Short mmCIF file of all heavy atoms in Angstrom, two decimals:
data_model
loop_
_atom_site.label_atom_id
_atom_site.label_comp_id
_atom_site.label_asym_id
_atom_site.label_seq_id
_atom_site.Cartn_x
_atom_site.Cartn_y
_atom_site.Cartn_z
N ARG Q 305 -5.86 -12.12 -1.84
CA ARG Q 305 -5.24 -10.83 -1.50
C ARG Q 305 -5.32 -10.65 0.01
O ARG Q 305 -6.35 -10.90 0.63
CB ARG Q 305 -5.95 -9.70 -2.23
CG ARG Q 305 -5.26 -8.35 -2.12
CD ARG Q 305 -5.93 -7.31 -2.99
NE ARG Q 305 -5.89 -7.65 -4.41
CZ ARG Q 305 -6.26 -6.81 -5.39
NH1 ARG Q 305 -6.67 -5.59 -5.07
NH2 ARG Q 305 -6.21 -7.19 -6.64
N GLU Q 306 -4.21 -10.17 0.60
CA GLU Q 306 -4.16 -10.00 2.04
C GLU Q 306 -3.60 -8.64 2.42
O GLU Q 306 -2.80 -8.05 1.67
CB GLU Q 306 -3.28 -11.09 2.68
CG GLU Q 306 -1.82 -11.06 2.25
CD GLU Q 306 -0.96 -12.05 2.99
OE1 GLU Q 306 -1.48 -12.81 3.84
OE2 GLU Q 306 0.27 -12.07 2.72
N LEU Q 307 -4.03 -8.16 3.57
CA LEU Q 307 -3.52 -6.90 4.09
C LEU Q 307 -2.06 -7.07 4.50
O LEU Q 307 -1.71 -8.03 5.17
CB LEU Q 307 -4.34 -6.45 5.29
CG LEU Q 307 -3.81 -5.24 6.05
CD1 LEU Q 307 -3.98 -3.98 5.22
CD2 LEU Q 307 -4.51 -5.10 7.39
N VAL Q 308 -1.25 -6.09 4.12
CA VAL Q 308 0.14 -6.06 4.55
C VAL Q 308 0.29 -5.03 5.67
O VAL Q 308 0.78 -5.32 6.76
CB VAL Q 308 1.10 -5.71 3.39
CG1 VAL Q 308 2.54 -5.60 3.89
CG2 VAL Q 308 0.98 -6.74 2.28
N ALA Q 309 -0.13 -3.80 5.38
CA ALA Q 309 -0.03 -2.72 6.35
C ALA Q 309 -1.01 -1.63 5.98
O ALA Q 309 -1.33 -1.43 4.80
CB ALA Q 309 1.39 -2.14 6.40
N ARG Q 310 -1.48 -0.91 7.01
CA ARG Q 310 -2.50 0.10 6.78
C ARG Q 310 -2.27 1.25 7.75
O ARG Q 310 -1.93 1.02 8.92
CB ARG Q 310 -3.87 -0.52 6.99
CG ARG Q 310 -5.07 0.35 6.72
CD ARG Q 310 -6.32 -0.51 6.80
NE ARG Q 310 -7.54 0.25 6.77
CZ ARG Q 310 -8.13 0.67 5.66
NH1 ARG Q 310 -7.59 0.42 4.50
NH2 ARG Q 310 -9.26 1.34 5.71
N SER Q 311 -2.47 2.46 7.26
CA SER Q 311 -2.29 3.66 8.08
C SER Q 311 -3.58 4.45 8.09
O SER Q 311 -4.07 4.84 7.02
CB SER Q 311 -1.15 4.51 7.51
OG SER Q 311 -1.10 5.77 8.14
N ILE Q 312 -4.12 4.68 9.28
CA ILE Q 312 -5.35 5.44 9.44
C ILE Q 312 -4.99 6.90 9.67
O ILE Q 312 -4.13 7.20 10.51
CB ILE Q 312 -6.17 4.94 10.64
CG1 ILE Q 312 -6.34 3.41 10.56
CG2 ILE Q 312 -7.52 5.65 10.70
CD1 ILE Q 312 -7.07 2.93 9.35
N THR Q 313 -5.61 7.80 8.92
CA THR Q 313 -5.33 9.23 9.09
C THR Q 313 -5.65 9.64 10.51
O THR Q 313 -6.74 9.38 11.01
CB THR Q 313 -6.16 10.05 8.09
OG1 THR Q 313 -5.83 9.64 6.76
CG2 THR Q 313 -5.86 11.53 8.24
N ASN Q 314 -4.68 10.32 11.15
CA ASN Q 314 -4.82 10.75 12.55
C ASN Q 314 -5.10 9.58 13.48
O ASN Q 314 -5.69 9.75 14.56
CB ASN Q 314 -5.92 11.80 12.70
CG ASN Q 314 -5.65 13.05 11.91
OD1 ASN Q 314 -4.50 13.51 11.83
ND2 ASN Q 314 -6.67 13.59 11.27
N GLY Q 315 -4.69 8.39 13.04
CA GLY Q 315 -4.89 7.20 13.86
C GLY Q 315 -3.65 6.35 13.87
O GLY Q 315 -2.54 6.85 13.74
N GLY Q 316 -3.83 5.08 14.03
CA GLY Q 316 -2.70 4.19 14.14
C GLY Q 316 -2.41 3.44 12.86
O GLY Q 316 -2.88 3.80 11.77
N THR Q 317 -1.60 2.42 13.02
CA THR Q 317 -1.22 1.57 11.90
C THR Q 317 -1.48 0.11 12.25
O THR Q 317 -1.47 -0.27 13.43
CB THR Q 317 0.27 1.73 11.55
OG1 THR Q 317 1.05 1.47 12.73
CG2 THR Q 317 0.57 3.14 11.06
N ASP Q 318 -1.76 -0.67 11.24
CA ASP Q 318 -1.94 -2.11 11.40
C ASP Q 318 -0.97 -2.84 10.50
O ASP Q 318 -0.73 -2.39 9.37
CB ASP Q 318 -3.37 -2.53 11.05
CG ASP Q 318 -4.38 -2.01 12.04
OD1 ASP Q 318 -4.10 -2.05 13.24
OD2 ASP Q 318 -5.46 -1.57 11.60
N TYR Q 319 -0.46 -3.95 10.97
CA TYR Q 319 0.44 -4.77 10.16
C TYR Q 319 0.01 -6.23 10.21
O TYR Q 319 -0.49 -6.70 11.24
CB TYR Q 319 1.88 -4.70 10.69
CG TYR Q 319 2.56 -3.37 10.52
CD1 TYR Q 319 2.50 -2.41 11.52
CD2 TYR Q 319 3.26 -3.07 9.36
CE1 TYR Q 319 3.12 -1.18 11.37
CE2 TYR Q 319 3.90 -1.85 9.20
CZ TYR Q 319 3.82 -0.91 10.21
OH TYR Q 319 4.45 0.30 10.05
N ALA Q 320 0.22 -6.92 9.11
CA ALA Q 320 0.06 -8.36 9.14
C ALA Q 320 1.14 -8.95 10.06
O ALA Q 320 2.27 -8.44 10.11
CB ALA Q 320 0.20 -8.94 7.74
N GLY Q 321 0.79 -10.00 10.75
CA GLY Q 321 1.74 -10.60 11.68
C GLY Q 321 3.03 -11.05 11.00
O GLY Q 321 4.11 -10.99 11.59
N SER Q 322 2.91 -11.46 9.74
CA SER Q 322 4.07 -11.98 9.01
C SER Q 322 5.09 -10.91 8.66
O SER Q 322 6.22 -11.23 8.30
CB SER Q 322 3.60 -12.69 7.75
OG SER Q 322 2.89 -11.79 6.92
N VAL Q 323 4.70 -9.62 8.75
CA VAL Q 323 5.62 -8.55 8.35
C VAL Q 323 6.01 -7.65 9.52
O VAL Q 323 6.86 -6.78 9.36
CB VAL Q 323 5.05 -7.70 7.20
CG1 VAL Q 323 4.63 -8.59 6.04
CG2 VAL Q 323 3.90 -6.82 7.66
N LYS Q 324 5.39 -7.84 10.67
CA LYS Q 324 5.69 -7.00 11.83
C LYS Q 324 7.17 -7.07 12.17
O LYS Q 324 7.75 -8.15 12.23
CB LYS Q 324 4.85 -7.43 13.02
CG LYS Q 324 3.48 -6.81 13.08
CD LYS Q 324 2.75 -7.20 14.36
CE LYS Q 324 1.38 -6.59 14.40
NZ LYS Q 324 0.62 -7.00 15.61
N GLY Q 325 7.75 -5.91 12.40
CA GLY Q 325 9.17 -5.85 12.72
C GLY Q 325 10.07 -5.81 11.50
O GLY Q 325 11.26 -5.53 11.63
N ARG Q 326 9.51 -6.09 10.32
CA ARG Q 326 10.32 -6.06 9.09
C ARG Q 326 9.86 -4.94 8.14
O ARG Q 326 10.68 -4.34 7.45
CB ARG Q 326 10.22 -7.40 8.36
CG ARG Q 326 10.72 -8.58 9.15
CD ARG Q 326 10.78 -9.83 8.29
NE ARG Q 326 9.49 -10.24 7.77
CZ ARG Q 326 9.22 -10.37 6.47
NH1 ARG Q 326 10.16 -10.10 5.56
NH2 ARG Q 326 8.01 -10.76 6.08
N PHE Q 327 8.56 -4.70 8.09
CA PHE Q 327 8.02 -3.69 7.18
C PHE Q 327 7.55 -2.48 7.99
O PHE Q 327 7.07 -2.61 9.12
CB PHE Q 327 6.81 -4.25 6.42
CG PHE Q 327 7.14 -5.30 5.39
CD1 PHE Q 327 8.40 -5.88 5.32
CD2 PHE Q 327 6.17 -5.73 4.51
CE1 PHE Q 327 8.69 -6.86 4.38
CE2 PHE Q 327 6.44 -6.70 3.56
CZ PHE Q 327 7.70 -7.26 3.50
N THR Q 328 7.65 -1.30 7.38
CA THR Q 328 7.18 -0.07 8.00
C THR Q 328 6.39 0.74 7.00
O THR Q 328 6.88 1.01 5.90
CB THR Q 328 8.36 0.78 8.52
OG1 THR Q 328 9.13 0.03 9.46
CG2 THR Q 328 7.84 2.03 9.22
N ILE Q 329 5.18 1.12 7.39
CA ILE Q 329 4.35 1.97 6.54
C ILE Q 329 4.47 3.41 7.04
O ILE Q 329 4.51 3.65 8.25
CB ILE Q 329 2.88 1.50 6.53
CG1 ILE Q 329 2.08 2.27 5.48
CG2 ILE Q 329 2.24 1.61 7.91
CD1 ILE Q 329 0.69 1.70 5.23
N SER Q 330 4.55 4.33 6.11
CA SER Q 330 4.59 5.75 6.48
C SER Q 330 3.85 6.55 5.41
O SER Q 330 3.64 6.07 4.29
CB SER Q 330 6.04 6.23 6.60
OG SER Q 330 6.73 6.10 5.38
N ARG Q 331 3.49 7.76 5.78
CA ARG Q 331 2.74 8.61 4.85
C ARG Q 331 3.29 10.03 4.85
O ARG Q 331 3.76 10.52 5.87
CB ARG Q 331 1.26 8.62 5.24
CG ARG Q 331 0.54 7.34 4.91
CD ARG Q 331 -0.86 7.32 5.45
NE ARG Q 331 -1.67 8.43 4.98
CZ ARG Q 331 -2.90 8.66 5.40
NH1 ARG Q 331 -3.43 7.85 6.30
NH2 ARG Q 331 -3.59 9.69 4.93
N ASP Q 332 3.16 10.66 3.70
CA ASP Q 332 3.41 12.09 3.56
C ASP Q 332 2.07 12.69 3.14
O ASP Q 332 1.71 12.66 1.96
CB ASP Q 332 4.49 12.35 2.51
CG ASP Q 332 4.86 13.83 2.41
OD1 ASP Q 332 4.02 14.68 2.77
OD2 ASP Q 332 5.97 14.12 1.98
N SER Q 333 1.34 13.21 4.11
CA SER Q 333 -0.01 13.69 3.83
C SER Q 333 -0.02 14.86 2.86
O SER Q 333 -0.94 15.00 2.06
CB SER Q 333 -0.70 14.09 5.14
OG SER Q 333 -0.85 12.97 5.97
N ALA Q 334 1.00 15.70 2.92
CA ALA Q 334 1.07 16.85 2.01
C ALA Q 334 1.18 16.41 0.56
O ALA Q 334 0.76 17.13 -0.35
CB ALA Q 334 2.24 17.74 2.39
N LYS Q 335 1.77 15.24 0.34
CA LYS Q 335 1.95 14.73 -1.02
C LYS Q 335 0.97 13.61 -1.35
O LYS Q 335 1.08 13.01 -2.42
CB LYS Q 335 3.39 14.20 -1.19
CG LYS Q 335 4.46 15.28 -1.03
CD LYS Q 335 5.85 14.69 -1.22
CE LYS Q 335 6.92 15.76 -1.07
NZ LYS Q 335 8.29 15.20 -1.25
N ASN Q 336 0.03 13.32 -0.45
CA ASN Q 336 -0.93 12.21 -0.67
C ASN Q 336 -0.20 10.93 -1.06
O ASN Q 336 -0.61 10.22 -1.98
CB ASN Q 336 -1.95 12.59 -1.75
CG ASN Q 336 -2.92 13.66 -1.30
OD1 ASN Q 336 -3.29 13.72 -0.13
ND2 ASN Q 336 -3.33 14.51 -2.22
N THR Q 337 0.87 10.65 -0.34
CA THR Q 337 1.73 9.52 -0.68
C THR Q 337 1.88 8.59 0.52
O THR Q 337 1.98 9.04 1.66
CB THR Q 337 3.11 10.02 -1.12
OG1 THR Q 337 2.96 10.86 -2.27
CG2 THR Q 337 4.03 8.86 -1.48
N VAL Q 338 1.89 7.30 0.23
CA VAL Q 338 2.16 6.28 1.25
C VAL Q 338 3.36 5.46 0.80
O VAL Q 338 3.54 5.22 -0.40
CB VAL Q 338 0.92 5.39 1.48
CG1 VAL Q 338 0.57 4.57 0.24
CG2 VAL Q 338 1.12 4.50 2.68
N TYR Q 339 4.18 5.09 1.77
CA TYR Q 339 5.37 4.31 1.49
C TYR Q 339 5.31 2.99 2.26
O TYR Q 339 4.68 2.90 3.31
CB TYR Q 339 6.63 5.06 1.93
CG TYR Q 339 6.76 6.44 1.33
CD1 TYR Q 339 6.30 7.56 2.01
CD2 TYR Q 339 7.35 6.63 0.09
CE1 TYR Q 339 6.41 8.83 1.47
CE2 TYR Q 339 7.48 7.89 -0.47
CZ TYR Q 339 7.00 8.99 0.23
OH TYR Q 339 7.12 10.24 -0.31
N LEU Q 340 5.99 2.00 1.74
CA LEU Q 340 6.16 0.74 2.46
C LEU Q 340 7.64 0.39 2.39
O LEU Q 340 8.15 0.02 1.32
CB LEU Q 340 5.31 -0.37 1.86
CG LEU Q 340 5.34 -1.69 2.63
CD1 LEU Q 340 4.66 -1.53 3.99
CD2 LEU Q 340 4.66 -2.81 1.83
N GLN Q 341 8.32 0.51 3.52
CA GLN Q 341 9.71 0.12 3.61
C GLN Q 341 9.77 -1.34 4.02
O GLN Q 341 9.25 -1.71 5.08
CB GLN Q 341 10.45 0.99 4.64
CG GLN Q 341 11.88 0.56 4.92
CD GLN Q 341 12.80 0.76 3.73
OE1 GLN Q 341 12.74 1.80 3.08
NE2 GLN Q 341 13.62 -0.23 3.43
N MET Q 342 10.38 -2.16 3.18
CA MET Q 342 10.42 -3.60 3.43
C MET Q 342 11.88 -4.02 3.66
O MET Q 342 12.71 -3.84 2.78
CB MET Q 342 9.83 -4.36 2.24
CG MET Q 342 8.39 -3.94 1.92
SD MET Q 342 7.64 -4.88 0.57
CE MET Q 342 8.54 -4.20 -0.83
N ASN Q 343 12.16 -4.54 4.83
CA ASN Q 343 13.50 -5.00 5.20
C ASN Q 343 13.48 -6.49 5.49
O ASN Q 343 12.42 -7.08 5.69
CB ASN Q 343 13.99 -4.23 6.42
CG ASN Q 343 14.10 -2.74 6.20
OD1 ASN Q 343 14.41 -2.29 5.11
ND2 ASN Q 343 13.82 -1.97 7.24
N SER Q 344 14.65 -7.07 5.52
CA SER Q 344 14.81 -8.50 5.83
C SER Q 344 13.81 -9.33 5.05
O SER Q 344 13.10 -10.19 5.60
CB SER Q 344 14.62 -8.72 7.34
OG SER Q 344 15.52 -7.96 8.09
N MET Q 345 13.79 -9.10 3.77
CA MET Q 345 12.76 -9.72 2.94
C MET Q 345 12.99 -11.21 2.78
O MET Q 345 14.14 -11.69 2.78
CB MET Q 345 12.68 -9.03 1.59
CG MET Q 345 12.26 -7.56 1.73
SD MET Q 345 11.92 -6.76 0.18
CE MET Q 345 10.36 -7.55 -0.25
N LYS Q 346 11.86 -11.92 2.64
CA LYS Q 346 11.88 -13.38 2.52
C LYS Q 346 11.21 -13.78 1.22
O LYS Q 346 10.43 -13.01 0.64
CB LYS Q 346 11.12 -14.00 3.69
CG LYS Q 346 11.60 -13.57 5.07
CD LYS Q 346 10.71 -14.14 6.15
CE LYS Q 346 11.16 -13.69 7.55
NZ LYS Q 346 10.29 -14.23 8.61
N SER Q 347 11.46 -15.01 0.80
CA SER Q 347 10.86 -15.48 -0.45
C SER Q 347 9.34 -15.45 -0.38
O SER Q 347 8.68 -15.21 -1.38
CB SER Q 347 11.36 -16.89 -0.76
OG SER Q 347 11.06 -17.78 0.31
N GLU Q 348 8.79 -15.66 0.81
CA GLU Q 348 7.33 -15.63 0.94
C GLU Q 348 6.74 -14.23 0.83
O GLU Q 348 5.52 -14.07 0.84
CB GLU Q 348 6.89 -16.28 2.27
CG GLU Q 348 7.61 -15.77 3.49
CD GLU Q 348 8.74 -16.67 3.91
OE1 GLU Q 348 9.54 -17.11 3.04
OE2 GLU Q 348 8.86 -16.92 5.14
N ASP Q 349 7.58 -13.21 0.74
CA ASP Q 349 7.08 -11.86 0.48
C ASP Q 349 6.83 -11.62 -1.00
O ASP Q 349 6.29 -10.57 -1.38
CB ASP Q 349 8.09 -10.81 0.98
CG ASP Q 349 8.26 -10.83 2.49
OD1 ASP Q 349 7.25 -11.04 3.20
OD2 ASP Q 349 9.40 -10.65 2.96
N THR Q 350 7.22 -12.57 -1.84
CA THR Q 350 6.99 -12.45 -3.27
C THR Q 350 5.51 -12.39 -3.57
O THR Q 350 4.74 -13.27 -3.17
CB THR Q 350 7.63 -13.64 -4.02
OG1 THR Q 350 9.05 -13.58 -3.86
CG2 THR Q 350 7.28 -13.58 -5.50
N ALA Q 351 5.09 -11.32 -4.27
CA ALA Q 351 3.66 -11.12 -4.56
C ALA Q 351 3.51 -9.85 -5.40
O ALA Q 351 4.48 -9.10 -5.59
CB ALA Q 351 2.87 -10.98 -3.27
N VAL Q 352 2.30 -9.65 -5.88
CA VAL Q 352 1.94 -8.35 -6.45
C VAL Q 352 1.41 -7.50 -5.30
O VAL Q 352 0.50 -7.94 -4.57
CB VAL Q 352 0.89 -8.49 -7.56
CG1 VAL Q 352 0.50 -7.10 -8.08
CG2 VAL Q 352 1.41 -9.35 -8.69
N TYR Q 353 1.98 -6.33 -5.13
CA TYR Q 353 1.59 -5.44 -4.04
C TYR Q 353 0.68 -4.35 -4.59
O TYR Q 353 1.01 -3.69 -5.60
CB TYR Q 353 2.84 -4.82 -3.40
CG TYR Q 353 3.55 -5.80 -2.49
CD1 TYR Q 353 4.22 -6.90 -3.02
CD2 TYR Q 353 3.55 -5.63 -1.11
CE1 TYR Q 353 4.85 -7.81 -2.18
CE2 TYR Q 353 4.19 -6.53 -0.28
CZ TYR Q 353 4.84 -7.62 -0.82
OH TYR Q 353 5.46 -8.52 0.01
N TYR Q 354 -0.44 -4.16 -3.92
CA TYR Q 354 -1.45 -3.18 -4.35
C TYR Q 354 -1.60 -2.09 -3.30
O TYR Q 354 -1.73 -2.36 -2.10
CB TYR Q 354 -2.81 -3.86 -4.53
CG TYR Q 354 -2.85 -4.89 -5.63
CD1 TYR Q 354 -2.57 -6.23 -5.37
CD2 TYR Q 354 -3.17 -4.53 -6.94
CE1 TYR Q 354 -2.61 -7.18 -6.36
CE2 TYR Q 354 -3.22 -5.48 -7.94
CZ TYR Q 354 -2.94 -6.80 -7.65
OH TYR Q 354 -2.98 -7.73 -8.66
N CYS Q 355 -1.63 -0.87 -3.77
CA CYS Q 355 -1.92 0.27 -2.92
C CYS Q 355 -3.44 0.42 -2.80
O CYS Q 355 -4.17 0.16 -3.77
CB CYS Q 355 -1.31 1.52 -3.54
SG CYS Q 355 -1.58 3.04 -2.59
N ASN Q 356 -3.89 0.83 -1.64
CA ASN Q 356 -5.32 0.98 -1.37
C ASN Q 356 -5.55 2.27 -0.62
O ASN Q 356 -4.74 2.65 0.24
CB ASN Q 356 -5.79 -0.22 -0.55
CG ASN Q 356 -7.16 -0.02 0.06
OD1 ASN Q 356 -7.29 0.55 1.14
ND2 ASN Q 356 -8.18 -0.48 -0.63
N ALA Q 357 -6.64 2.96 -0.95
CA ALA Q 357 -6.97 4.19 -0.23
C ALA Q 357 -8.47 4.29 -0.03
O ALA Q 357 -9.25 4.06 -0.97
CB ALA Q 357 -6.46 5.41 -0.97
N ASP Q 358 -8.87 4.62 1.19
CA ASP Q 358 -10.26 4.97 1.50
C ASP Q 358 -10.33 6.48 1.54
O ASP Q 358 -9.56 7.11 2.26
CB ASP Q 358 -10.69 4.38 2.84
CG ASP Q 358 -10.76 2.87 2.80
OD1 ASP Q 358 -11.07 2.30 1.72
OD2 ASP Q 358 -10.52 2.23 3.85
N VAL Q 359 -11.24 7.04 0.76
CA VAL Q 359 -11.28 8.49 0.65
C VAL Q 359 -12.71 9.00 0.80
O VAL Q 359 -13.67 8.24 0.65
CB VAL Q 359 -10.72 8.98 -0.72
CG1 VAL Q 359 -9.30 8.48 -0.92
CG2 VAL Q 359 -11.62 8.52 -1.85
N VAL Q 360 -12.81 10.29 1.09
CA VAL Q 360 -14.08 11.00 1.03
C VAL Q 360 -14.01 11.91 -0.20
O VAL Q 360 -13.08 12.73 -0.30
CB VAL Q 360 -14.33 11.83 2.30
CG1 VAL Q 360 -15.61 12.65 2.14
CG2 VAL Q 360 -14.41 10.94 3.53
N LEU Q 361 -14.93 11.73 -1.12
CA LEU Q 361 -15.00 12.59 -2.31
C LEU Q 361 -15.80 13.82 -1.93
O LEU Q 361 -17.02 13.75 -1.77
CB LEU Q 361 -15.63 11.84 -3.47
CG LEU Q 361 -14.91 10.56 -3.89
CD1 LEU Q 361 -15.69 9.83 -4.97
CD2 LEU Q 361 -13.49 10.86 -4.34
N LEU Q 362 -15.12 14.94 -1.76
CA LEU Q 362 -15.75 16.13 -1.18
C LEU Q 362 -16.84 16.71 -2.09
O LEU Q 362 -17.85 17.21 -1.60
CB LEU Q 362 -14.67 17.17 -0.88
CG LEU Q 362 -13.61 16.71 0.14
CD1 LEU Q 362 -12.52 17.75 0.28
CD2 LEU Q 362 -14.25 16.41 1.48
N ALA Q 363 -16.66 16.64 -3.39
CA ALA Q 363 -17.65 17.20 -4.31
C ALA Q 363 -18.94 16.39 -4.30
O ALA Q 363 -20.03 16.92 -4.56
CB ALA Q 363 -17.08 17.27 -5.72
N GLU Q 364 -18.81 15.10 -4.01
CA GLU Q 364 -19.98 14.21 -4.04
C GLU Q 364 -20.44 13.81 -2.64
O GLU Q 364 -21.44 13.11 -2.51
CB GLU Q 364 -19.64 12.96 -4.85
CG GLU Q 364 -19.20 13.26 -6.28
CD GLU Q 364 -18.70 12.01 -7.00
OE1 GLU Q 364 -19.34 10.95 -6.85
OE2 GLU Q 364 -17.67 12.09 -7.68
N THR Q 365 -19.72 14.25 -1.63
CA THR Q 365 -19.99 13.91 -0.22
C THR Q 365 -20.29 12.43 -0.05
O THR Q 365 -21.33 12.03 0.50
CB THR Q 365 -21.16 14.76 0.33
OG1 THR Q 365 -22.33 14.51 -0.46
CG2 THR Q 365 -20.82 16.22 0.33
N ARG Q 366 -19.39 11.62 -0.54
CA ARG Q 366 -19.51 10.18 -0.35
C ARG Q 366 -18.12 9.57 -0.23
O ARG Q 366 -17.12 10.18 -0.63
CB ARG Q 366 -20.26 9.51 -1.51
CG ARG Q 366 -19.53 9.55 -2.85
CD ARG Q 366 -20.31 8.80 -3.92
NE ARG Q 366 -19.64 8.82 -5.22
CZ ARG Q 366 -18.78 7.89 -5.63
NH1 ARG Q 366 -18.48 6.87 -4.81
NH2 ARG Q 366 -18.23 7.98 -6.81
N THR Q 367 -18.10 8.37 0.32
CA THR Q 367 -16.82 7.68 0.46
C THR Q 367 -16.57 6.78 -0.74
O THR Q 367 -17.51 6.41 -1.47
CB THR Q 367 -16.81 6.84 1.74
OG1 THR Q 367 -17.87 5.90 1.69
CG2 THR Q 367 -16.97 7.73 2.97
N SER Q 368 -15.32 6.43 -0.93
CA SER Q 368 -14.93 5.58 -2.05
C SER Q 368 -13.64 4.86 -1.69
O SER Q 368 -12.85 5.35 -0.87
CB SER Q 368 -14.73 6.43 -3.31
OG SER Q 368 -14.30 5.64 -4.40
#
Side-chain angles (χ1 to χ4, degrees):
R305 189 174 298 189
E306 62 175 2
L307 172 71
V308 177
R310 183 172 171 84
S311 170
I312 310 299
T313 300
N314 299 321
T317 55
D318 292 318
Y319 291 92
S322 59
V323 307
K324 274 185 181 178
R326 299 189 299 121
F327 290 11
T328 302
I329 189 170
S330 62
R331 287 173 57 184
D332 185 335
S333 297
K335 297 181 180 179
N336 290 326
T337 300
V338 65
Y339 305 94
L340 185 67
Q341 174 67 44
M342 303 183 288
N343 299 326
S344 302
M345 297 188 72
K346 305 175 182 180
S347 57
E348 50 262 45
D349 295 322
T350 295
V352 178
Y353 283 69
Y354 295 91
C355 180
N356 166 274
D358 293 329
V359 303
V360 175
L361 301 175
L362 299 175
E364 302 172 43
T365 59
R366 66 177 180 91
T367 59
S368 178

